Amino acid sequence: MIKKIIVSLCLLISFTALTQEGTSSAYSFYGIGDIRFKGTVDTRAMGGISVFPDSIHINIQNPAHFASLKYTTFGVAGTYNTTNYKTETQEQRSKRTTLDYFAVGIPAGKLGFAIALYPYSSVGYKIQNISSDATPVFSRYGGVGGVTRVFAGAGYQLTKKINIGVDIQYNFGTIETTSLRFINTVQYGTREKNNSNLQGLNADFGITYQTKLKGNRSFFSSLTYTPQSEMKLNNARSIEIIQFLNSGAVGVIESEDINVEDTNIKIPSKLTFGTGYGRVKNWLIGGEISLIENSVMSNRFNDIDDAFFENTVRYNLGGYYIPNYNSYSNYFKRVTYRAGLRYENTGLVIQNKSITDFAGTFGLGLPINGTFSNINIAVEIGKRGTKYNNLVEENYINFVVGLSFNDRWFVKRKFD
């Protein structure tokens, strides 16, 4: 059954991942947009920590965990987001539903393999303003697109306590931004369009360690390293003379292409270290620290000079609790209860103000009776940015729902 589900969903999900608008944040104008991927739904409910091995969930934050899979696993998740945007003078709300990822993991003895497709970053904003001068000026700014990532990796059980792994990721996408200005007393307005086609490769290397302690407890640790890489951008710019039509659409009167340089954006190196402790089938708590060299990041065009990037430290803390994993009389005792916190300096600095992001998370892992499959739910409540210094404060709530299907593949039948 899972094979049919995977085949039918993969085509739908692939198309959806490439066409969705994944954000409405003005901060997505900078760099390559908002970094969307925060982990699979089960790790996201625990503040984003990825230190724990799991035999029935795909952990694509550390490729060493692929060797812990015991069943062929298919994971898919989507997010419903509501965000309240505040400045010192205005307030606006947005809502959107997006696909987060789909992934397939396949165990093969001491080896484990995984492939995945997910939106890595998104650009999506619409801002308009009418000046209060004697001659009103109408301005509109918009952006769409982002970076999609195709992912393939493998993990290997080096010893009973140590796993190692590596993955390769191909990044590709298109970003388009527009700036429009129309003076009320002038017949025509102007619009600038900027397009960037992006592509590049990067890799992750991971190692995990786990050992048994007294009292049926275990200790876990993990290390993930992402070397610095580059993404190539083929850039194009045009200036248009435009006119508003009666329907409200924009008609192009004349257009001229402007020569702009192609650019390279560096994808920063990242080092993540985590530890965890607890009883695997009862409770676990862990934490992670990530050091990200975001100072090497840049904007898509060389003439964007009102923002820069700085190095980042990200903190994640979380865990889970299962009252009684093999209870037959009480379903809720088999439910996995998850919670966590995360805090990060995003690396973006605007008007000498660092943009930070803080969120609290909690969620449930709901087992499907008679199988190892489950439904995972996560809620993320957080705040990014500030409304001071002419910036935007974003107060958001993310509702995430994911499915994890599990089955045995490549098992030779004893009876036909």
Side-chain angles (χ1 to χ4, degrees):
M1 181 64 180
I2 185 175
K3 300 177 187 178
K4 295 180 180 179
I5 294 173
I6 291 174
V7 172
S8 61
L9 286 179
C10 280
L11 294 176
L12 174 63
I13 292 170
S14 299
F15 176 77
T16 304
L18 298 177
T19 58
Q20 64 179 338
E21 187 175 313
T23 183
S24 56
S25 171
Y27 295 124
S28 67
F29 171 78
Y30 300 98
I32 57 174
D34 281 346
I35 303 302
R36 284 272 313 281
F37 184 71
K38 304 294 184 182
T40 54
V41 59
D42 49 300
T43 62
R44 197 168 169 181
M46 299 184 291
I49 61 171
S50 59
V51 66
F52 304 137
D54 201 319
S55 62
I56 60 173
H57 292 95
I58 304 173
N59 185 333
I60 54 180
Q61 292 164 270
N62 187 335
H65 285 308
F66 301 153
S68 299
L69 288 172
K70 301 301 181 186
Y71 297 89
T72 298
T73 303
F74 171 71
V76 60
T79 296
Y80 172 77
N81 165 269
T82 175
T83 303
N84 189 37
Y85 301 93
K86 291 182 179 180
T87 67
E88 291 183 280
T89 58
Q90 299 182 55
E91 186 171 341
Q92 187 67 44
R93 184 178 295 274
S94 74
K95 299 177 183 179
R96 67 189 58 249
T97 302
T98 58
L99 175 79
D100 291 337
Y101 63 87
F102 87 90
V104 179
I106 302 173
K110 291 186 176 183
L111 279 168
F113 302 94
I115 57 173
L117 173 70
Y118 56 90
Y120 176 65
S121 73
S122 291
V123 175
Y125 60 91
K126 295 176 183 177
I127 302 172
Q128 66 181 35
N129 178 62
I130 300 177
S131 69
S132 57
D133 299 334
T135 302
V137 177
F138 174 80
S139 301
R140 179 192 294 168
Y141 308 93
V144 294
V147 177
T148 299
R149 175 169 287 179
V150 178
F151 166 107
Y156 178 71
Q157 187 183 64
L158 195 64
T159 70
K160 290 184 177 181
K161 297 182 178 182
I162 299 175
N163 290 353
I164 57 174
V166 62
D167 63 55
I168 303 295
Q169 301 152 15
Y170 174 63
N171 305 289
F172 64 97
T174 300
I175 296 174
E176 177 182 291
T177 58
T178 59
S179 302
L180 181 151
R181 177 162 291 190
F182 188 85
I183 301 175
N184 193 41
T185 57
V186 179
Q187 181 179 5
Y188 300 119
T190 59
R191 180 171 66 181
E192 178 184 287
K193 295 179 69 174
N194 293 295
N195 285 275
S196 299
N197 292 313
L198 310 88
Q199 60 179 343
L201 291 171
N202 65 292
D204 293 327
F205 301 90
I207 184 170
T208 63
Y209 172 82
Q210 65 181 86
T211 186
K212 294 286 187 179
L213 303 175
K214 292 181 179 180
N216 200 28
R217 290 176 170 84
S218 298
F219 172 80
F220 306 90
S221 63
S222 68
L223 184 70
T224 310
Y225 176 65
T226 303
Q228 185 184 120
S229 59
E230 281 194 350
M231 193 177 298
K232 296 182 179 179
L233 282 71
N234 295 320
N235 296 321
R237 174 176 291 171
S238 63
I239 302 295
E240 301 171 340
I241 298 176
I242 56 98
Q243 182 179 29
F244 281 110
L245 306 179
N246 291 332
S247 62
V250 174
V252 178
I253 306 300
E254 187 177 342
S255 178
E256 180 180 354
D257 293 332
I258 305 297
N259 290 326
V260 290
E261 293 183 356
D262 293 338
T263 54
N264 292 335
I265 284 185
K266 293 181 180 180
I267 304 300
S269 63
K270 181 172 70 173
L271 180 67
T272 300
F273 173 74
T275 61
Y277 171 79
R279 295 179 178 177
V280 175
K281 297 179 180 180
N282 187 203
W283 61 271
L284 286 174
I285 187 170
E288 288 181 343
I289 296 177
S290 298
L291 306 176
I292 308 172
E293 193 186 10
N294 271 323
S295 60
V296 303
M297 282 281 291
S298 59
N299 293 302
R300 294 180 298 120
F301 291 87
N302 294 326
D303 55 359
I304 300 175
D305 55 8
D306 60 343
F308 63 93
F309 296 86
E310 63 182 359
N311 290 337
T312 298
V313 180
R314 184 170 63 209
Y315 303 93
N316 305 81
L317 177 68
Y320 68 78
Y321 173 67
I322 308 173
N324 186 353
Y325 78 97
N326 61 358
S327 174
Y328 292 99
S329 60
N330 191 328
Y331 175 83
F332 291 100
K333 288 186 177 181
R334 292 188 286 118
V335 171
T336 303
Y337 301 87
R338 304 183 176 105
L341 298 169
R342 64 172 176 83
Y343 173 83
E344 66 176 308
N345 177 346
T346 64
L348 178 61
V349 181
I350 304 178
Q351 299 181 21
N352 294 318
K353 180 66 177 178
S354 297
I355 306 302
T356 60
D357 189 353
F358 172 79
T361 64
F362 60 92
L364 302 173
L366 305 173
I368 299 175
N369 288 333
T371 71
F372 288 101
S373 302
N374 51 80
I375 301 170
N376 294 293
I377 301 170
V379 179
E380 196 173 43
I381 303 173
K383 184 181 81 169
R384 180 171 65 166
T386 176
K387 64 182 180 181
Y388 302 108
N389 295 348
N390 295 317
L391 298 176
V392 181
E393 178 183 293
E394 302 176 354
N395 295 281
Y396 59 85
I397 302 177
N398 294 319
F399 299 93
V400 192
V401 178
L403 302 176
S404 181
F405 298 105
N406 299 274
D407 199 1
R408 288 188 180 273
W409 286 11
F410 313 116
V411 178
K412 186 177 181 180
R413 294 184 179 181
K414 295 182 179 180
F415 304 98
D416 291 327

